Amino acid sequence: MHSKLQNFYDAISFKEPERVPFAIWNTGPFCTTICGESEKNYYLDPELKLRVMLKVQDMFPEAILIPGIWPDFGTVLEASVFGSEIIWHDNAPPNNKPVIHEYTDILRLKPNFKDSLLPVMLRQCEYMWKHTDKRYIDENGYLDGVAFSMGPLEVAAALMDFSQFLIGFYDAPELMHKLISMTTEAVIHILHEQQKINGPIKRLAMGDHLPHNLSPEMFMEFCFPYYKQVFDEFPDAIKVYHNEGNLLHIAESIPDFGANIVHYGVDTKELKSILKGKVTIMGNLDPISVMRDGTPELVYEKAMECLRDGAEGGGMLLSSAGGMAPHTPAENVRAALRATEDYACK
């Protein structure tokens, strides 16, 4: 029988695995609520963060966690590099305050890696290496060559008002290119810093939700070259692109900017048809109406439907359609896992 990790590699190589992997996008809101822990403490306490992630893995041993065992800071670490103030909440992910109020502020913007969350994150990487039982690494590929960052557009948008960010593509295109170029270089630097601790990058996850707000033309000008720059920097890595938005209008470009896996929230058949066996799909169970609020029977039914739509010929990981929602019941996760077991027996 294949190992869970071998099934993962078979699936992304477009071989039909013995069992379609079930992937949990393991971020703070889901992990803390299912473990009954404080979300604020989770981000700042590496012992708690690691304990929560290992508990999630132990609760669902057949699942693979993506990004995996990692120093999760939500979406704010990269913004902190540019001097953005971080706001910590008791029961919600942290967010940041804008630092760009006029487009000309971009000209004065400079990254400061030393006085940011980056050193904190790297210390948490070292803590996780020191305190993670080796079996989690061997059985799941965690920590070893694993890296994560928010994407260049997501970081750029976090530094200013969202409407101002979108209008800037029309009103200040040269400055927007300058901004996104800076955030791209910052993302690459952050990934290289993780590589110094975790080793040569084998599995890279990048979250960036902005492109589904852009036309195909705007995407190709202001996003595609920067994504490609990030992914080209790590040619040997399996690259996971996380974007649960409506990305069908840009889906044809996903193989070209270098993603190997796309974590999606659109129609499974349609996306798989567009990608034509070039990129593994990872989804597509609605995180709210199905995974959180549905019955185990509904989760099982929807999971089997998703598997029938996307698993044939390999190239699929079953997952939630985006991040797993806080307060998702454990029995619903187990129902999705049961579907992957039953589908493999058919």
Side-chain angles (χ1 to χ4, degrees), residues 142-163:
Y142 297 151
L143 289 175
D144 183 17
V146 172
F148 175 87
S149 179
M150 299 307 298
L153 264 74
E154 186 99 3
V155 180
L159 300 176
M160 62 173 72
D161 176 80
F162 186 70
S163 297

Side-chain angles (χ1 to χ4, degrees), residues 67-78:
I69 304 302
W70 67 298
D72 177 13
F73 281 92
T75 64
V76 301
L77 182 145
E78 297 79 9

Side-chain angles (χ1 to χ4, degrees), residues 1 14-15 51 71 84 96 103 106 116 144 178 233 258 284 311 329 340:
M1 179 176 291
F14 289 88
K15 302 173 185 176
R51 175 158 46 85
S84 185
N96 68 284
Y103 293 118
I106 294 169
S116 73
D144 183 17
K178 181 175 179 60
E233 188 76 12
N284 179 33
T340 65

Side-chain angles (χ1 to χ4, degrees), residues 80-110:
S80 76
V81 164
F82 292 94
S84 185
E85 180 184 349
I86 308 305
I87 304 167
W88 302 96
H89 305 282
D90 288 335
N91 293 296
N95 64 299
N96 68 284
K97 291 186 178 181
V99 295
I100 298 169
H101 305 287
E102 305 289 341
Y103 293 118
T104 52
D105 290 343
I106 294 169
L107 297 171
R108 295 185 288 273
L109 199 65
K110 289 183 179 179

Side-chain angles (χ1 to χ4, degrees), residues 112-179:
N112 181 345
F113 298 103
K114 182 179 178 181
D115 298 321
S116 73
L117 285 172
L118 179 58
V120 181
M121 183 267 278
L122 296 175
R123 287 195 295 272
Q124 289 196 3
C125 280
E126 292 171 340
Y127 178 91
M128 290 176 170
W129 268 108
K130 185 175 180 180
H131 294 91
T132 299
D133 190 304
K134 190 173 182 293
R135 68 183 176 88
Y136 292 101
I137 300 169
D138 294 342
E139 294 174 6
N140 303 280
Y142 297 151
L143 289 175
D144 183 17
V146 172
F148 175 87
S149 179
M150 299 307 298
L153 264 74
E154 186 99 3
V155 180
L159 300 176
M160 62 173 72
D161 176 80
F162 186 70
S163 297
Q164 180 191 30
F165 177 76
L166 293 176
I167 293 169
F169 293 127
Y170 298 93
D171 287 359
E174 291 185 6
L175 288 173
M176 294 301 287
H177 274 296
K178 181 175 179 60
L179 172 63

